[in-house]
Amino acid sequence: MSNPYYITTPIYYVNDKPHIGHAYTSLACDVMCRFQKLARHDTYFLTGTDEHGQKIEQAAAKNNITPQQLVDRFSQNFKCLAKIFNIEHDDFIRTTEPRHKQAVQLFWQRLQERQAIYLDKYSGWYAVRDEAFYTDKQIETTDKGEKVAIASGAPVEWVEEESYFFRLSDYQERLLQYYQNNPDFIMPSTRRNEVTSFVKSGLKDLSISRTSFSWGVPVPNDDKHIMYVWLDALFNYVSALGYGTDDDANYQRYWPANLHMVGKDIVIFHAVYWPAMLMAAELPLPKRIFAHGWWTNEGQKISKSLGNVIDPLQLLETYGLDQTRYFLMREVSFGQDGDFSHEAMVRRSNSDLANDLGNLCQRSLTMLVKHCDSEIKIGDIGDDVLDNALLERAHNLYQAVYEEMQEQAFHKALATIFAMVSETNRYIDCKAPWVLRKTDLERMQQVLSIIAEIIRRVAILLQPFMPDAAGKILDMLNIAPDARDFTAFDEQLADGHRINPPVIIFPRFEAENAPTE
Ligand code: ME8
């Protein structure tokens, strides 16, 4: 297979239980990766957990366990989350694994050899919750007299210690030049503008080691220091590919990554620090950083202290896996913030899935089975305007969806697919095969077969979003497993092909059944 395609999620902190926000990023990557796979790319999908740093050390102390015990326990939760959301990753990296630690130490040495690192003293603000350094301008004092980071609200503390520094300030102009030459490097454009002004406002050298705690990767030849958790974490994208080992075939094949998918909270780390470090190490830069928006719950920020963390497991149990996957990818313009509400979830699922798609399959395929002996017969397409318009539109559907997916516009891709579904519902209403049954059986079979053909195309395109449901539709249509990728998109159902009896795929929800939280 040609065309390598490498996609990554952020590696998640293990001090917290996974919630819907984590599921969202992983889901977006899964959809993207499945799409590329169906387009016959040689895909590689990485996710994992970020297991070092002061935050983890503190969380372990609070729970009276060692950091290692904590990370072993909680990392498992993220593996489970991926499993229940049907996330098909190829590798799951943990930063406490020897393979990662060795590689990140090599990276450090590589930076050092290129004079990108020097030893000095750091004094400034640090927020453990964000694992980030802040300048005076980036903090404020709350009504209660507490000093917090303006961007995140995380409490900051004053830190003074010996530290290694990365010469970030050397990269200001090169980064700006890079953003200009590669307009698709940071997406969406609002984030690109935000990052550009951050860099324009001036970059200071970055403290990249700590001495006041010990849960981290030791700095080579100076193990009084441990590496700053973000340098450690960012390198996971490379270390997971076997960089610097005898078996670096994956690194050779897949680096640089095509897409680092992240939330907007961590775009600066990915679009400023990470490319600067790679430039300094003379390693290739990832092709795109996409920073998506933030989910709130019924209008409120999702937070443990507010007690409104949406439990992904409960969501799946209430609404079903593919309904939830569909809702998350369809409801909000990808890149913008979004609000989760049970009402919206029920509305989307009922209107798009149960009514539009579900009904279309039910009413057309049931008739095909009952009245046409399950047999497809499209025959010759004459000059009926509606037949031709519908088939023409179906023919163009792949290209339209493909272009939207290249921009990570998942919501638009789905809107395009579902506009096709609506059009097909209008077609069936207009052609009224239930009337044709009494007047023209041959024409009825042709109309129903055309609809089955459209359903086949729709289901092929829906596979990345709703793998199980789309798979069931393709099963109903009796499509062979090797005829389900995008190369089969333009192959038409052959006359004489027999379909299977349809089953109900999307049940309707009664709004009052939705849990009230
Ligand atoms: O930042 N809405 O890990 P993290 C949307 N370890 N997405 C959300 C979200 C929400 N309400 N809450 C979380 C870290 N996310 C670092 C990353 S990478 C080298 C190191 C998602 O556990 C979103 O993708 O805090 C966000 O960027 C990520 O979880 C933060 O995960």
Side-chain angles (χ1 to χ4, degrees):
M1 234 189 293
S2 62
N3 283 333
Y5 184 86
Y6 178 32
I7 184 165
T8 67
T9 73
I11 47 170
Y12 305 111
Y13 287 130
V14 282
N15 58 311
D16 231 344
K17 259 174 76 179
H19 65 69
I20 195 69
H22 306 116
Y24 184 55
T25 320
S26 294
L27 173 60
C29 289
D30 186 59
V31 169
M32 198 62 220
C33 189
R34 285 176 189 264
F35 190 90
Q36 297 294 65
K37 201 180 280 183
L38 288 166
R40 296 242 175 137
H41 284 259
D42 167 13
T43 59
Y44 200 77
F45 174 8
L46 176 70
T47 186
T49 42
D50 188 354
E51 305 193 352
H52 289 128
Q54 207 167 354
K55 180 150 76 167
I56 307 290
E57 196 177 82
Q58 287 179 355
K62 223 167 114 190
N63 287 289
N64 283 322
I65 51 176
T66 64
Q68 191 62 52
Q69 284 169 326
L70 179 113
V71 299
D72 287 347
R73 195 180 295 169
F74 281 78
S75 176
Q76 200 51 36
N77 294 341
F78 283 90
K79 283 193 177 156
C80 289
L81 179 79
K83 202 168 160 47
I84 62 170
F85 263 83
N86 201 0
I87 306 291
E88 255 185 0
H89 52 78
D90 294 286
D91 194 3
F92 188 103
I93 182 120
R94 301 180 51 191
T95 52
T96 49
E97 287 176 75
R99 61 170 174 155
H100 171 74
K101 292 195 267 190
Q102 281 151 16
V104 75
Q105 286 182 326
L106 282 179
F107 181 52
W108 181 285
Q109 281 163 332
R110 202 176 156 99
L111 288 169
Q112 223 161 20
E113 282 157 18
R114 287 163 179 75
Q115 274 83 45
I117 293 179
Y118 63 92
L119 187 63
D120 202 342
K121 200 169 163 204
Y122 177 77
S123 53
W125 301 103
Y126 191 76
V128 175
R129 199 171 87 194
D130 299 341
E131 297 284 15
F133 299 97
Y134 290 108
T135 62
D136 283 336
K137 278 196 212 134
Q138 292 171 311
I139 67 155
E140 65 185 359
T141 309
T142 64
D143 299 344
K144 294 181 194 142
E146 196 185 19
K147 295 218 180 316
V148 297
I150 298 170
S152 65
V156 294
E157 62 190 47
W158 187 254
V159 171
E160 264 187 46
E161 60 189 40
E162 186 185 81
S163 170
Y164 284 95
F165 282 81
F166 168 63
R167 294 186 194 280
L168 182 64
S169 59
D170 285 358
Y171 291 89
Q172 181 163 340
E173 286 316 312
R174 277 182 66 183
L175 284 170
L176 290 172
Q177 196 61 52
Y178 194 82
Y179 303 153
Q180 202 177 350
N181 296 346
N182 301 276
D184 291 342
F185 178 59
I186 306 167
M187 283 181 65
S189 56
T190 43
R191 301 284 161 241
R192 180 172 65 241
N193 298 341
E194 198 178 287
V195 170
T196 306
S197 25
F198 176 85
V199 175
K200 276 190 182 153
S201 73
L203 293 179
K204 284 209 181 110
D205 289 350
L206 182 70
S207 166
I208 51 165
S209 76
R210 305 288 309 271
T211 55
S212 50
F213 66 98
S214 58
W215 186 240
V217 182
V219 166
N221 306 317
D222 193 355
D223 56 16
K224 180 163 96 224
H225 289 256
I226 54 159
M227 292 181 198
Y228 174 37
V229 64
W230 268 101
L231 182 143
D232 164 1
L234 286 163
F235 202 67
N236 88 86
Y237 302 130
V238 177
S239 69
L241 299 178
Y243 170 82
T245 68
D246 293 341
D247 183 11
D248 71 348
N250 278 343
Y251 174 73
Q252 299 299 342
R253 177 133 189 84
Y254 295 109
W255 191 256
N258 296 72
L259 180 58
H260 290 321
M261 184 72 82
V262 298
K264 65 178 185 179
D265 54 325
I266 54 176
V267 66
I268 298 293
F269 296 98
H270 282 82
V272 180
Y273 301 169
W274 180 226
M277 286 173 191
L278 289 168
M279 283 174 179
E282 298 176 283
L283 293 173
L285 268 52
K287 296 187 182 138
R288 178 172 299 170
I289 318 288
F290 194 106
H292 65 65
W294 213 240
W295 279 92
T296 48
N297 183 5
E298 313 271 356
Q300 272 189 324
K301 187 174 177 237
I302 299 175
S303 96
K304 227 160 77 173
S305 51
L306 288 172
N308 66 347
V309 174
I310 302 162
D311 177 3
L313 192 63
Q314 202 196 346
L315 207 57
L316 298 188
E317 274 172 4
T318 312
Y319 299 109
L321 170 62
D322 279 354
Q323 285 90 336
T324 306
R325 286 177 62 115
Y326 176 75
F327 173 80
L328 291 173
M329 291 292 102
R330 176 66 187 91
E331 184 68 6
V332 170
S333 301
F334 197 73
Q336 315 251 308
D337 293 343
D339 185 45
F340 180 88
S341 81
H342 288 286
E343 196 210 319
M345 174 86 219
V346 168
R347 193 174 355 100
R348 269 280 169 217
S349 192
N350 281 349
S351 75
D352 297 5
L353 300 181
N355 290 357
D356 289 357
L357 179 58
N359 258 346
L360 177 67
C361 293
Q362 278 303 313
R363 51 188 187 156
S364 58
L365 303 185
T366 304
M367 284 192 81
L368 253 176
V369 169
K370 257 194 176 166
H371 306 302
C372 309
D373 198 16
S374 307
E375 195 179 315
I376 296 290
K377 191 157 179 231
I378 297 181
D380 290 331
I381 297 293
D383 51 10
D384 182 277
V385 178
L386 286 187
D387 287 7
N388 283 292
L390 195 74
L391 286 167
E392 170 76 10
R393 186 169 176 163
H395 170 73
N396 294 331
L397 188 61
Y398 174 66
Q399 193 54 33
V401 169
Y402 184 87
E403 278 162 26
E404 277 142 2
M405 291 298 285
Q406 294 320 297
E407 313 239 289
Q408 285 73 57
F410 302 110
H411 58 293
K412 284 195 193 161
L414 283 172
T416 304
I417 298 171
F418 276 81
M420 181 82 236
V421 172
S422 301
E423 187 64 29
T424 315
N425 272 318
R426 277 192 291 276
Y427 174 83
I428 194 171
D429 288 341
C430 183
K431 295 297 176 196
W434 42 89
V435 175
L436 289 171
R437 192 159 83 84
K438 293 175 203 135
T439 55
D440 187 347
L441 281 177
E442 215 171 297
R443 177 64 175 146
M444 174 192 74
Q445 187 172 17
Q446 184 179 42
V447 164
L448 292 171
S449 299
I450 288 174
I451 294 167
E453 171 55 25
I454 310 291
I455 294 175
R456 185 188 69 88
R457 290 177 191 235
V458 163
I460 284 182
L461 291 177
L462 284 177
Q463 291 175 98
F465 300 91
M466 298 187 283
D468 292 343
K472 277 190 200 150
I473 297 175
L474 292 168
D475 288 346
M476 292 183 329
L477 291 171
N478 193 18
I479 306 297
D482 63 358
R484 295 182 178 196
D485 74 21
F486 296 153
T487 56
F489 186 80
D490 264 332
E491 286 167 13
Q492 193 165 290
L493 283 171
D495 287 352
H497 177 88
R498 292 193 118 82
I499 66 161
N500 294 315
V503 290
I504 290 179
I505 298 174
F506 303 111
R508 269 189 72 84
F509 296 107
E510 297 304 327
E512 52 270 27
N513 288 350
T516 46
E517 274 175 82

